[in-house]
């Protein structure tokens, strides 16, 4: 009878622990989803609205293109994308996204990877890359940007570099969502990293890395 009571208590404790773990996992997933949504709204919607406020008269073609991209992203149905892409298609999609973000981007590609890359990873890397390109376009003062997209082995690497005015990363306030959330945090959520190197007067380089 004593052993039966102890086993019952053990099962109840295990069930309580399982429920707590499930609730914790759900809370983390919900928080991550909200964070991704917040970054998406910042990147694709607020950025366009802020830029639109600077113009009077007819809408510039580049702003119209960004607005069209934002609308297509917001209308995309969940589950519409395949589970993953091969290295060549992953690189091609990211290269096309770079060109859409800034037509003056000089894009170099290398597809020498192995196995499929999850579609969600390609999408998040693309969003982080897009924010890096938009930052260069808006703040660097450079006429163009160099983008390198590589799929090597089982990973992805994207490099966005400009020769503009640069900045001191240590002085960027935590309230600035672009660098902190749309680039660094976005890469953290998919298990990747983002390295930002810049100095005043010496341009900026953003390197995004993801590996299985």
């Amino acid at each position: 009878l004593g052993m039966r009571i102890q086993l019952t208590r053990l099962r109840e404790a295990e069930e309580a622990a399982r429920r707590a773990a499930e609730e914790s996992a759900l809370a983390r997933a919900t928080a991550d989803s909200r964070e991704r949504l917040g970054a998406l709204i910042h990147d694709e919607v607020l950025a366009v609205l802020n830029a639109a406020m600077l113009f009077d008269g007819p809408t510039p073609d580049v702003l119209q293109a960004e607005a069209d991209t934002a609308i297509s992203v917001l209308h995309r149905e969940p589950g519409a994308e395949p589970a993953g892409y091969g290295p060549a298609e992953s690189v091609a999609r990211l290269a096309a996204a770079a060109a859409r973000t800034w037509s003056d981007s000089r894009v170099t590609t290398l597809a020498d990877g192995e196995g499929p890359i999850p579609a969600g990873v390609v999408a998040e890397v693309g969003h982080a890359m897009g924010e890096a390109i938009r930052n260069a376009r808006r703040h660097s003062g450079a006429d163009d940007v160099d983008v390198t997209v590589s799929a090597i082995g089982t990973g992805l690497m994207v490099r966005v570099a400009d020769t503009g005015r640069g900045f001191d990363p240590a002085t960027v306030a935590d309230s600035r969502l672009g660098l902190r959330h749309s680039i660094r945090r976005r890469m953290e959520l998919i298990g990747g990293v983002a390295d930002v190197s810049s100095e005043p007067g010496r341009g900026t380089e953003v390197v995004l890395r993801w590996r299985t």
Side-chain angles (χ1 to χ4, degrees):
L1 180 60
M3 291 180 63
R4 185 177 300 170
I5 292 173
Q6 292 298 325
L7 288 173
T8 299
R9 289 175 177 172
L10 179 60
R11 282 195 296 270
E12 291 174 348
E14 289 176 344
E15 179 64 18
R18 184 187 63 78
R19 287 197 301 269
E22 289 177 351
E23 291 172 358
S24 178
L26 178 59
R28 287 196 302 271
T30 301
D32 288 349
S33 179
R34 288 175 177 170
E35 195 164 4
R36 285 193 176 97
L37 179 59
L40 183 66
I41 295 299
H42 170 270
D43 296 351
E44 303 293 349
V45 179
L46 294 182
V48 174
L49 292 176
N50 287 337
M53 293 173 63
L54 301 177
F55 292 97
D56 292 322
T59 304
D61 290 342
V62 64
L63 184 58
Q64 183 62 57
E66 287 190 10
D68 291 341
T69 299
I71 291 172
S72 67
V73 168
L74 293 176
H75 284 178
R76 188 176 300 149
E77 294 183 8
E81 298 288 356
Y85 306 108
E89 185 173 0
S90 298
V91 168
R93 283 176 169 270
L94 290 172
R100 284 196 305 271
T101 304
W102 191 0
S103 59
D104 290 330
S105 300
R106 292 191 298 269
V107 184
T108 303
T109 61
L110 173 62
D112 190 24
E114 302 172 1
I117 297 171
V121 167
V122 176
E124 293 301 317
V125 171
H127 288 312
M129 175 192 69
E131 181 65 9
I133 294 173
R134 282 189 290 269
N135 283 345
R137 185 176 191 175
R138 294 169 184 154
H139 306 303
S140 73
D143 295 328
D144 49 35
V145 66
D146 287 306
V147 181
T148 303
V149 183
S150 305
I152 302 175
T154 59
L156 275 177
M157 191 276 287
V158 174
R159 174 181 174 270
V160 178
D162 66 68
T163 56
R165 60 177 59 94
F167 66 98
D168 181 359
T171 65
V172 178
D174 287 343
S175 58
R176 293 292 298 273
L177 297 180
L179 180 59
R180 183 164 60 94
H181 279 286
S182 297
I183 297 179
R184 284 184 170 141
R185 181 58 178 160
R186 183 167 253 145
M187 291 301 295
E188 289 176 4
L189 289 173
I190 60 171
V193 296
D195 296 317
V196 180
S197 302
S198 186
E199 292 182 30
R202 303 193 66 177
T204 301
E205 179 183 78
V206 177
V207 179
L208 312 173
R209 295 185 179 89
W210 176 88
R211 184 174 296 279
T212 55

